[in-house]
Amino acid sequence: MHLRKRVLVTGGSGFLGSHLCERLLQEDCEVICVDNFFTSSKQNIEHLLPNPRFEVIRHDITFPLYVEVDEIYNLACPASPIHYQFDPVQTIKTCVHGAINMLGLAKRLRIPIFQASTSEVYGDPEVHPQPESYWGNVNPIGYRSCYDEGKRCAESLFFAYQRQHGLAVKVGRIFNTYGPRMHPNDGRVVSNFIMQAIQGKPITVYGDGSQTRAFCYVDDLIELMIRFMRNDHNFCGPLNMGNPNDFTILELAQKIIKLTGSRSHISFEPLPNDDPSQRKPDIAIAYSKYKWEPQTQLNEGLLQTLNYFNKFI
């Protein structure tokens, strides 16, 4: 009989997963990190390997997994457009088959399970900011649909298991998150801009840069994830997880140029397909239920991220 909480984190060597594994180890949990290393890096968890309470399993969750644990955090899935559009069929399989396999495991063990959903379920929203009650405006056959609809289907599965089998599920809709251990070439706006700025390359802004995004620092997001999972088991979500302070993409580019002291100029390019014009969470539920709001200011978080990216130059 083990006394420590044993936690399974799928996608555990990814950007968010590695930070979650680290935090759970700090809380004296035993952590099983599962990853197929398709888009993630072993370097993200290298510093955790000497810890005797940390275990790594190379596994693709589109196939069943048999382990004995007390909690599951299902974070496995490519999360940037470059990565999830590279193999859209595999992205859908990871979202759907992966969810079915992890829910099956949680059902067998009768344990709580968290699903890392996404703000992409809102598509190009016609409501701003986006509350959890908004059903979204998604193109079901567009280039982004493998991820958007994959995650929407996963949410449906989680709630179906909750209603049909009484499973303790938690569904969190994660908005733009940034920080150390982001993939330098994942095509996301923060990593793109920082890498372009520190290399002195033109900073690529799509459209006129007036589209807005809200950026949450990774430590703040992990804090909410833990609070959500550990409290109020009657509330399954969905729960918006992100920073409600939004900026235009042009403002972000200018801020990063200033922080890096870069001589990069801004290069305006055509907007990609189905790129949302605005995206920011309504976090009223996160605040009222968990007394959570982001603590890290954008400048502070960008400096931490910049320090991490400097080692790639």
Side-chain angles (χ1 to χ4, degrees), residues 15-129:
F15 164 46
L16 293 182
S18 63
H19 284 277
L20 177 60
C21 288
E22 191 171 63
R23 172 68 185 272
L24 291 167
L25 289 169
Q26 287 167 4
E27 296 195 348
D28 203 37
C29 296
E30 291 180 16
V31 177
I32 300 177
C33 163
V34 167
D35 211 297
N36 67 350
F37 301 103
F38 174 58
T39 60
S40 60
S41 168
K42 286 184 180 176
Q43 290 177 327
N44 288 342
I45 53 169
E46 218 166 27
H47 64 298
L48 304 177
L49 294 174
N51 192 319
R53 290 182 282 106
F54 184 65
E55 181 182 346
V56 182
I57 301 174
R58 181 189 282 271
H59 181 80
D60 182 335
I61 64 160
T62 60
F63 299 95
L65 178 68
Y66 302 100
V67 290
E68 303 295 319
V69 290
D70 304 304
E71 272 181 357
I72 300 171
Y73 288 84
N74 185 35
L75 275 60
C77 188
S80 73
I82 284 177
H83 290 151
Y84 66 63
Q85 291 173 14
F86 173 75
D87 189 344
V89 172
Q90 185 61 27
T91 297
I92 296 169
K93 284 182 176 178
T94 303
C95 289
V96 179
H97 292 182
I100 290 168
N101 287 330
M102 290 304 107
L103 285 162
L105 179 60
K107 181 188 164 203
R108 178 175 71 81
L109 299 172
R110 305 304 299 173
I111 58 172
I113 178 169
F114 170 86
Q115 166 66 5
S117 191
T118 171
S119 60
E120 299 292 338
V121 300
Y122 298 122
D124 188 1
E126 295 170 336
V127 173
H128 192 70

Side-chain angles (χ1 to χ4, degrees), residues 226-247:
I226 299 274
R227 289 188 200 182
F228 181 31
M229 190 64 161
R230 299 281 162 85
N231 297 290
D232 188 5
H233 290 298
N234 293 319
F235 177 65
C236 301
L239 179 70
N240 281 343
M241 309 177 83
N243 193 317
N245 301 312
D246 58 346
F247 297 83

Side-chain angles (χ1 to χ4, degrees), residues 163-179:
R163 294 180 189 118
Q164 192 170 333
H165 302 295
L167 202 59
V169 306
K170 297 277 186 174
V171 174
R173 290 175 176 166
I174 298 170
F175 282 68
N176 288 56
T177 306
Y178 71 100

Side-chain angles (χ1 to χ4, degrees), residues 18 55 171 205 256 264 267:
S18 63
E55 181 182 346
V171 174
V205 170
I256 287 174
S264 295
S267 170

Side-chain angles (χ1 to χ4, degrees), residues 276-288:
S277 59
Q278 50 190 9
R279 181 70 63 70
K280 82 167 178 174
D282 179 327
I283 63 163
I285 296 177
Y287 184 75
S288 64

